[in-house]
Amino acid sequence: MGSMTRRAAALLTALSVLGCGATGEPSQGATGSDSGPTDTAEPGVGAPGIGDPDFPLDGNGGYDVAHYALRIGYAPARRRLDGEATIQARATQALSRFNLDLRGFTVGGVSVDGAAATFTRKGDELSVTPAEPLARGAEFAVKVAYSGTPRPVRGSSNLGTYGFIPTADGAFVTAEPNGAKTWFPGNDHPADKATFDFEITVPAGVTALANGELVSRTAAPGGGTTFTWREAHPMATYLATATMGRFTLREGRTAGGIRSLAAVDPRFSSALGELYRRSGEITDHWVTVFGPYPFSSTGGVVDDFSAGYALENQTKPMYGGFEPGESIIAHELAHQWFGNSLSIERWEDLWLNEGFATYAEWLWSEHTGGDTAAQRFKTAHARPANDPIWSYPPGDARPGDLFNESVYTRGAMTLHALRREIGDRAFFTLLKTWAAEHRHGNVTTEQFTALAERLSGKRLGSLFDAWLFQPRRPSA
Ligand code: TRP
Ligand code: ZN
């Protein structure tokens, strides 16, 4: 479900046609094990990356995932995960071989359309050779059985630890930017969104929380419980969660009628009421500012893992080891529109997520009688000339320092500078139009700046250039 996938596919298809003549037959070039998964231009072979130049091995090329069905058994005491992933996809080129992203685990077997496939592994790439090559345009199902101890990524610089993080009573699963591969095989890049079914079996007393809606909760053989969840709207892989542990739940609807679920670890039981009420109130408010809620429910989860951060997991933002205040709740819920419904196609455009969510904090403050957005802007602009946000252009988020504060704060300042330039009326129309036109899709900075110019009737090139792309402080 991604347009970058299609672009990369068009290129690869062209190469594959050159390689095997006009018949369009799949090439036979994928049999040797000497050609490693990092070869990109081999005819009939899916690329090991989706085409994000900053993360060359994230995601994969040559197919487009429509749906993941994940069956997961997890035993917290043994830290043992048994998984079976069934991935429905469409080949965007002829494929004699394609890759999935998977980190760690023992792969027990892979099949494509029910027939055993051969596979090799190299780094975080799982290369699958189906018994029969797939024709361009073919829909196929790949099933992967895997098991072992999940290990999160200990990220470099400001990425922290992310992915499937085992805790004493379960797991805390927050995977931005590329930690989905630490718990299921897939196309781990936001340019390929898909729907998800989760069937998670855990020991008695443990609750498993995934995205979307709970479909069923049944007794499993052996005394455990199987939780079945469904996310029926397209979702980026990093937003998928299967957070497990002891949880106290509160369910209902917001005043505006949106389903809502709050869950807290017993250590944070006093936070449950406030989390539930605030999340509902803020979701309803964002509907008035950003437009219709894009998913089937809202809410939030507080776990006892001391991450110290939050992640906007689709329908279920997660807060790691702290009682969230209204500002961070406003931030994570704004991501449901900006980041989750509208997903970036390349990580360099991350300000479209974090700048918007940070500006939402400013809007929430303004709405509740605190500092206005103009005051927040002024304070930020008064940072000293040598503050690192001035030398880091937020419109070009760098892979080694992706979540730099500039992407958040200077990204938010960009939106405020835009609001001043085009006026409140055009600005708030722009936010709603942006969310509506790209609902459940993928976006780029160029699309946003073009829409801003179209709706305002103004030329905004120098404003965006100064705020997003120059390594110096713009004049106020
Ligand atoms: N996107 C998160 C936020 O809104 C921050 C974040 C980045 C994160 N990478 C993460 C959270 C990994 C959890 C895990 O602030
Ligand atoms: Zn954020």
Side-chain angles (χ1 to χ4, degrees):
M1 288 192 179
S3 54
M4 171 177 290
T5 326
R6 282 190 291 278
R7 273 212 307 276
L11 172 64
L12 287 160
T13 303
L15 292 168
S16 117
V17 167
L18 289 173
C20 58
T23 62
E25 290 296 313
S27 86
Q28 298 304 307
T31 45
S33 57
D34 53 330
S35 49
T38 48
D39 299 347
T40 49
E42 221 176 316
V45 175
I50 204 167
D52 189 328
D54 293 323
F55 295 85
L57 293 179
D58 282 9
N60 305 284
Y63 63 91
D64 192 355
V65 177
H67 184 73
Y68 293 90
L70 305 178
R71 293 181 65 190
I72 307 270
Y74 187 65
R78 293 186 295 133
R79 297 199 166 188
R80 159 94 186 184
L81 187 152
D82 287 288
E84 186 187 81
T86 306
I87 302 164
Q88 308 278 356
R90 193 176 60 81
T92 53
Q93 61 169 93
L95 284 175
S96 55
R97 192 174 88 203
F98 62 88
N99 281 19
L100 296 168
D101 302 309
L102 181 67
R103 183 179 175 91
F105 299 107
T106 301
V107 173
V110 180
S111 67
V112 176
D113 292 333
T118 59
F119 61 91
T120 59
R121 303 193 68 186
K122 188 171 174 183
D124 296 350
E125 298 292 328
L126 167 64
S127 250
V128 177
T129 303
E132 298 290 335
L134 298 160
R136 177 169 123 93
E139 292 185 358
F140 64 100
V142 50
K143 190 177 282 196
V144 180
Y146 59 104
S147 58
T149 300
R151 300 198 194 284
V153 182
R154 301 204 189 281
S156 51
S157 63
N158 57 11
L159 283 177
T161 297
Y162 61 93
F164 188 103
I165 305 170
T167 61
D169 60 356
F172 181 77
V173 184
T174 51
E176 192 180 18
N178 52 12
K181 66 185 173 192
T182 68
W183 67 285
F184 65 89
N187 201 15
D188 195 7
H189 190 282
D192 190 2
K193 308 209 287 185
T195 54
F196 282 72
D197 281 311
F198 306 87
E199 197 184 299
I200 307 164
T201 301
V202 286
V206 176
T207 298
L209 300 168
N211 313 85
E213 305 313 308
L214 183 66
V215 176
S216 67
R217 181 198 159 120
T218 58
T225 314
T226 299
F227 292 84
T228 304
W229 292 87
R230 175 165 299 155
E231 173 51 74
H233 297 104
M235 177 165 72
T237 49
Y238 75 87
L239 297 170
T241 194
T243 288
M244 310 167 205
R246 290 179 305 133
F247 284 107
T248 312
L249 269 52
R250 181 153 168 201
E251 282 181 272
R253 285 184 188 270
T254 70
I258 299 166
R259 293 175 65 129
S260 183
L261 171 63
V264 297
D265 181 279
R267 205 154 72 77
F268 293 94
S269 52
S270 62
L272 181 62
E274 173 75 0
L275 173 68
Y276 180 82
R277 279 188 301 275
R278 280 285 181 215
S279 300
E281 178 194 10
I282 292 171
T283 302
D284 285 345
H285 180 64
W286 288 152
V287 169
T288 71
V289 183
F290 306 142
Y293 188 67
F295 305 118
S296 51
S297 65
T298 184
V301 179
V302 181
D303 202 355
D304 66 345
F305 172 71
S306 305
Y309 55 61
L311 185 70
E312 63 266 24
N313 289 341
Q314 192 152 307
T315 69
K316 286 179 188 62
M318 305 230 345
Y319 306 92
F322 62 96
E323 276 192 36
E326 53 189 288
S327 187
I328 194 160
I329 294 174
H331 178 113
E332 305 308 332
L333 290 174
H335 273 310
Q336 303 306 311
W337 284 260
F338 307 113
N340 299 7
S341 171
L342 278 65
S343 294
I344 51 177
E345 200 163 293
R346 312 185 285 262
W347 284 109
E348 66 182 7
D349 289 343
L350 185 61
W351 84 279
L352 291 173
N353 297 3
E354 301 305 344
F356 279 60
T358 303
Y359 197 62
E361 296 177 42
W362 299 4
L363 291 174
W364 182 255
S365 170
E366 185 166 290
H367 172 69
T368 54
D371 289 352
T372 61
Q375 284 165 324
R376 293 283 179 100
F377 175 90
K378 198 167 168 228
T379 305
H381 196 263
R383 287 169 177 236
N386 63 357
D387 189 288
I389 70 170
W390 304 130
S391 55
Y392 187 117
D396 189 13
R398 305 314 315 149
D401 191 10
L402 197 59
F403 295 92
N404 187 286
E405 206 210 327
S406 172
V407 176
Y408 288 72
T409 303
R410 199 169 145 185
M413 295 176 79
T414 302
L415 289 176
H416 192 73
L418 174 65
R419 178 180 169 185
R420 285 194 319 194
E421 178 67 22
I422 68 178
D424 277 13
R425 199 183 160 87
F427 178 76
F428 287 103
T429 300
L430 171 63
L431 292 185
K432 276 192 171 146
T433 308
W434 178 238
E437 282 194 354
H438 299 283
R439 183 177 167 97
H440 299 149
N442 282 94
V443 290
T444 63
T445 296
E446 299 72 55
Q447 289 173 326
F448 180 71
T449 56
L451 183 64
E453 291 197 331
R454 175 156 73 78
L455 289 182
S456 68
K458 286 193 161 186
R459 298 182 65 158
L460 301 165
S462 57
L463 182 148
F464 284 121
D465 182 59
W467 279 98
L468 293 175
F469 298 114
Q470 294 305 318
R472 63 187 68 88
R473 171 161 51 187
S475 49

